[in-house]
């Protein structure tokens, strides 16, 4: 979603659309809140959505728009490179396998040198049924899973720690912010079996993802 004005906005597609009208409106696709699920809900600029494409004689539009959920996690550099390659070249294969969209971030200083953080931040976008197995696969070795999630400080009040610990007994929330840029985030760590972490991740999505 690149723009939203009250009841309508514009979507920038992330796949190739073969239609002569795609050249109009800078390649963006019209969306109205009437075509959002649930209906009349506003979409957030920057969010990823799934939709069906239609043509009504005036241009291309999106219907049955569903905003994807997102979980953020940190992965040590070495583990990330083992999983996705030195330059992330295996990320597209992973996205296709789990039907998710991934974004990877690392920090550099103003002069272009490395920021010194020992991890990479990943965003995993998709439906809950896709995100959970994708995150479990990234953060597991054998049957053991250690998932180091990030929760924005503005959403800490939504977290039900007792409920999460009921699903994954070893669940810890950091007292201090792990990241301060681009927003303050705290670490929420799940450690347990793959099934325990999957149940906790599913609950986390329900708690903090709108």
């Amino acid at each position: 979603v690149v723009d939203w004005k009250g009841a309508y906005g514009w979507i920038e597609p992330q796949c190739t659309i073969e239609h002569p009208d795609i050249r109009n409106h800078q390649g963006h696709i019209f969306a109205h809140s009437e075509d959002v699920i649930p209906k009349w809900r506003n979409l957030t600029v920057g969010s990823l959505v799934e939709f069906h494409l239609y043509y009504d004689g005036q241009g291309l539009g999106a219907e049955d728009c569903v905003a994807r959920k997102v979980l953020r996690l940190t992965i040590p550099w070495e583990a990330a490179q083992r999983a996705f390659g030195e330059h992330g070249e295996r990320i597209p294969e992973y996205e296709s396998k789990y039907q998710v969209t991934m974004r990877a971030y690392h920090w550099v200083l103003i002069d272009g040198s490395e920021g010194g953080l020992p991890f990479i931040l990943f965003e995993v976008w998709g439906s809950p049924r896709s995100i959970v197995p994708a995150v479990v696969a990234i953060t597991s070795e054998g049957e053991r899973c250690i998932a180091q999630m990030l929760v924005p400080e503005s959403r800490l009040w939504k977290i039900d720690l007792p409920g999460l610990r009921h699903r994954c007994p070893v669940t810890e929330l950091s007292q201090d912010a792990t990241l301060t840029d681009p927003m303050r985030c705290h670490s929420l760590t799940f450690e347990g079996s793959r099934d325990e972490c999957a149940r906790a991740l599913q609950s986390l999505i329900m708690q903090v993802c709108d």
Side-chain angles (χ1 to χ4, degrees):
V1 179
V2 293
D3 189 23
W4 196 262
K5 299 177 180 178
Y8 70 94
W10 299 92
I11 297 171
E12 181 177 15
Q14 294 197 330
C15 61
T16 301
I17 295 177
E18 296 182 358
H19 191 284
D21 279 29
I22 193 62
R23 295 189 296 268
N24 300 336
H25 307 293
Q26 300 177 311
H28 297 159
I29 295 169
F30 178 80
H32 193 279
S33 57
E34 186 176 10
D35 294 315
V36 175
I37 300 175
K39 189 170 287 191
W40 302 110
R41 182 170 183 172
N42 292 336
L43 296 176
T44 303
V45 172
S47 64
L48 296 181
V49 296
E50 297 176 349
F51 60 91
H52 291 117
L53 185 69
Y54 70 83
Y55 176 71
D56 62 2
Q58 296 181 322
L60 295 174
E63 61 184 358
D64 298 333
C65 295
V66 179
R68 285 186 161 196
K69 307 295 185 184
V70 60
L71 285 181
R72 298 175 177 88
L73 64 155
T74 58
I75 303 177
W77 269 95
E78 290 186 2
Q81 290 177 327
R82 283 198 305 270
F84 303 117
E86 185 175 354
H87 302 292
E89 58 270 17
R90 291 197 292 273
I91 287 179
E93 177 185 342
Y94 195 88
E95 291 177 315
S96 177
K97 179 179 179 179
Y98 289 98
Q99 294 299 296
V100 295
T101 300
M102 298 182 64
R103 294 172 175 169
Y105 304 89
H106 77 280
W107 281 258
V108 295
L109 302 178
I110 295 177
D111 61 6
S113 60
E114 293 294 332
L117 292 177
F119 56 76
I120 300 177
L121 165 63
F122 282 90
E123 291 183 343
V124 184
W125 293 78
S127 66
R129 67 178 179 272
S130 299
I131 295 175
V132 171
V135 172
V136 169
I138 296 171
T139 56
S140 295
E141 289 190 12
E143 288 302 310
R144 201 67 181 167
C145 177
I146 303 177
Q148 297 177 312
M149 313 308 296
L150 288 176
V151 179
E153 199 166 75
S154 61
R155 302 205 168 203
L156 291 181
W157 66 275
K158 292 188 172 185
I159 291 180
D160 173 16
L161 272 179
L164 293 174
R165 287 178 175 141
H166 179 71
R167 292 161 176 80
C168 183
V170 184
T171 296
E172 299 295 335
L173 178 66
S174 68
Q175 295 297 314
D176 299 321
T178 303
L179 286 178
T180 58
D181 181 35
M183 57 184 164
R184 293 180 63 85
C185 291
H186 290 242
S187 292
L188 179 66
T189 303
F190 302 127
E191 182 173 356
S193 69
R194 295 169 72 102
D195 286 345
E196 288 173 336
C197 289
R199 289 194 294 268
L201 288 167
Q202 183 73 41
S203 182
L204 179 65
I205 291 173
M206 298 299 293
Q207 290 178 23
V208 303
C209 298
D210 293 336

